[in-house]
Amino acid sequence: MAEDAVLGFLEKNEEILDSGKFSEEKGISHDEMVNAIKSLNGFGFVIAQDIKRERWVLTEEGKIYATAGSPEVQLFLAITPEGITQEELQKKLDPAIFKVGWPQAMKNKWVEKGKSNVSRKVQNVDDTVKDLLMQIQNGEAVDPKDIDGLKRRKLIAQQSWKGYSVRKGPKYAPKRIKEATDLTRENLHSGDWKNLKEYNFSAKGQPVEGKEYNFSAKGQPVEGGHLHPLLKVRRQVQMIFLQMGFEEMPTNNYVESSFWNFDALFQPQQHPARDSHDTFFLKEPSTTRELPEDYVELVKKVHESGGYGSRGYGYDWKRDEANKNLLRTHTTAVSSRMLYKLAQNKPFAPKKYYSIDRVFRNEAVDRTHLAEFHQIEGLVCDRGLSLGDLIGVLHDFFARLGMSKLRFKPAYNPYTEPSMEIFSYHEGFKKWVEVGNSGMFRPEMLLPMGLPEDVRVIAWGLSLERPTMILYGIDNIRELFGHKVDLGLIKKNPICRLGLN
Ligand code: PHE
């Protein structure tokens, strides 16, 4: 063992002059020797002093030439004494060898180029480069002038070597007894507890001298769980909703029927979003088991021929299409279930609902799109609400997220009228960025559910990823979510204060 070798040697000798030579003599790797010396030095058994040496070693290229010969000599030898065309010469040599060897051989005046041939200019040559490289490889001394040349050709590189000279330290002992940190059953049985350095027991059985504490030891890093940025921002958004008096909707079903995801939302069955190019449909089970039949009838009717002052879409509504299971494409599917449920409670009572959960879209993944992401959704359901109420609630909600400058742009959703895209001015980006979508749910959606005629629902939705990326300065969504996420980022990221401006 390296430690015993060092302590043993110092028992009879003044000093280990060079840890490199010493480890060679002992047949122990220098790394192992260095570790032992550092540890012994730390505990005062020895005093170690740095030795630094610079030496030249061959680069990968240098190593090749040390065995195969320098390119210029290889090139020289490839030229037959009677001369050869350049094409032939190039065919005979590796392109890299030709490229390096030709200018060198020309510089050495070993070869010349005639009209049609290249030929030798001297009868024979010495491979001094190869000889020098071999000398360096064997640790032999080489003229500094030659070193310079090889260095310029990047055939050798300097390597610094670190080792130690070692003398006895203040706590030197010929053998190191490990300081015991634990007293085991085996120690007691065998009686060797008497020899354990730190357990010299007094008559009463109390340790007289404990192992010294190392107050500057770094200690184990605390490796607890770490919250993903999305979870931190979700928490903050959740707190905002709760402070505004919203209740959470149950979002614990990724699988939804087309009925609740689309039909109940007055989204026609031929709408492009209902195509498999946009939506993930389930193979197994491919259809839903039950739907509220009376309500389904009303939804069918409103799609086909309208009612409640609407003309409907005027197409043949198919139950099969509504039965298809899918991965919900928006959390508005949950809102539609909840509003239907609310409509069944008589008498009507107003509600404020929110949800934050995952949704799925059959989307090509790029730096701003994922096939699964998270939506934040809020809705207020009460008698006589107006667009002004929606705008007011949005100002309140987004101001709490740190976005107080808002603008609205008319938009279209099959289930809301009017609909508005929400933009917020980003002080950092110096531009208006889209932060959400909103609207008032259509009567074609609410009245078949059985909500009273004067009840209006204002609602809005946004992604959780967007504000999180802005807060954490992440510009590629794949660095935030999915298999490419760097766990280091999760462990180190701070809690960001909301305030996107
Ligand atoms: N469901 C919409 C979306 O997927 C968001 C939205 C929710 C719009 C509620 C209006 C009302 O983007």
Side-chain angles (χ1 to χ4, degrees), residues 67-109:
T67 41
S70 68
E72 52 269 36
V73 169
Q74 289 189 48
L75 180 125
F76 180 84
L77 296 176
I79 298 173
T80 40
E82 58 279 3
I84 182 173
T85 68
Q86 179 160 339
E87 288 75 51
E88 262 179 281
L89 176 61
Q90 266 172 287
K91 242 187 267 161
K92 283 171 88 176
L93 288 171
D94 184 284
I97 296 294
F98 180 83
K99 197 170 154 230
V100 180
W102 179 256
Q104 282 295 338
M106 285 294 277
K107 205 172 108 198
N108 294 354
K109 300 199 168 57

Side-chain angles (χ1 to χ4, degrees), residues 191-400:
D192 75 356
W193 60 269
K194 290 178 214 141
N195 307 325
L196 294 180
K197 185 151 177 236
E198 300 309 335
Y199 283 94
N200 291 317
F201 286 83
S202 70
K204 281 182 191 144
Q206 293 298 314
V208 186
E209 197 188 352
K211 179 176 162 62
E212 261 182 71
Y213 283 107
N214 176 3
F215 291 108
S216 51
K218 215 166 157 221
Q220 291 291 320
V222 181
E223 272 290 340
H226 298 273
L227 291 179
H228 190 280
L230 285 174
L231 292 177
K232 293 181 193 175
V233 176
R234 183 179 77 174
R235 185 73 178 161
Q236 297 185 63
V237 176
Q238 209 160 29
M239 291 321 284
I240 289 173
F241 274 120
L242 294 176
Q243 283 158 10
M244 290 173 72
F246 283 65
E247 285 171 55
E248 187 170 5
M249 295 185 269
T251 49
N252 55 342
N253 60 308
Y254 291 167
V255 174
E256 186 54 275
S257 62
S258 294
F259 181 77
W260 291 112
N261 194 85
F262 293 126
D263 295 285
L265 289 162
F266 197 51
Q267 188 144 338
Q269 295 190 323
Q270 56 282 357
H271 191 282
R274 301 187 63 158
D275 197 277
S276 62
H277 292 296
D278 289 301
T279 298
F280 293 115
F281 287 95
L282 255 73
K283 274 198 190 133
E284 190 65 46
S286 61
T287 54
T288 185
R289 256 182 280 131
E290 56 180 347
L291 294 173
E293 294 304 330
D294 296 350
Y295 173 50
V296 170
E297 271 316 300
L298 296 174
V299 169
K300 172 182 161 76
K301 190 169 161 286
V302 79
H303 276 245
E304 290 186 336
S305 54
Y308 324 101
S310 169
R311 284 191 292 158
Y313 291 117
Y315 73 98
D316 235 357
W317 186 86
K318 298 238 166 37
R319 176 61 183 260
D320 286 350
E321 201 53 49
N323 282 346
K324 284 185 185 167
N325 276 336
L326 44 73
L327 292 178
R328 69 172 174 231
T329 62
H330 52 185
T331 44
T332 315
V334 179
S335 303
S336 70
R337 273 179 183 272
M338 289 303 280
L339 286 169
Y340 171 74
K341 222 166 141 193
L342 186 64
Q344 309 318 301
N345 294 340
K346 308 275 161 72
F348 168 78
K351 278 286 180 195
K352 292 194 274 191
Y353 281 138
Y354 81 94
S355 69
I356 310 172
D357 209 342
R358 196 170 297 186
V359 298
F360 306 83
R361 290 183 191 174
N362 193 357
E363 201 134 26
V365 171
D366 63 27
R367 55 194 304 117
T368 53
H369 293 89
L370 289 177
E372 52 187 299
F373 61 100
H374 300 83
Q375 275 191 336
I376 302 169
E377 179 144 328
L379 68 86
V380 183
C381 177
D382 201 353
R383 296 182 192 273
L385 294 176
S386 67
L387 189 67
D389 290 304
L390 175 58
I391 292 173
V393 174
L394 290 176
H395 272 296
D396 186 3
F397 174 79
F398 280 96
R400 290 170 193 251

Side-chain angles (χ1 to χ4, degrees), residues 329-330 332 361 375 377-378 413 415-416 437-439 441 459-462:
T329 62
H330 52 185
T332 315
R361 290 183 191 174
Q375 275 191 336
E377 179 144 328
N413 297 309
Y415 37 91
T416 52
N437 184 5
S438 67
F441 283 137
W460 70 99
L462 61 147

Side-chain angles (χ1 to χ4, degrees), residues 45-63:
F45 283 90
V46 302
I47 296 170
Q49 240 152 8
D50 290 357
I51 325 176
K52 265 197 200 130
R53 263 203 302 269
E54 306 288 351
R55 59 176 189 151
W56 291 100
V57 292
L58 304 195
T59 60
E60 285 311 310
E61 192 183 353
K63 280 183 204 158

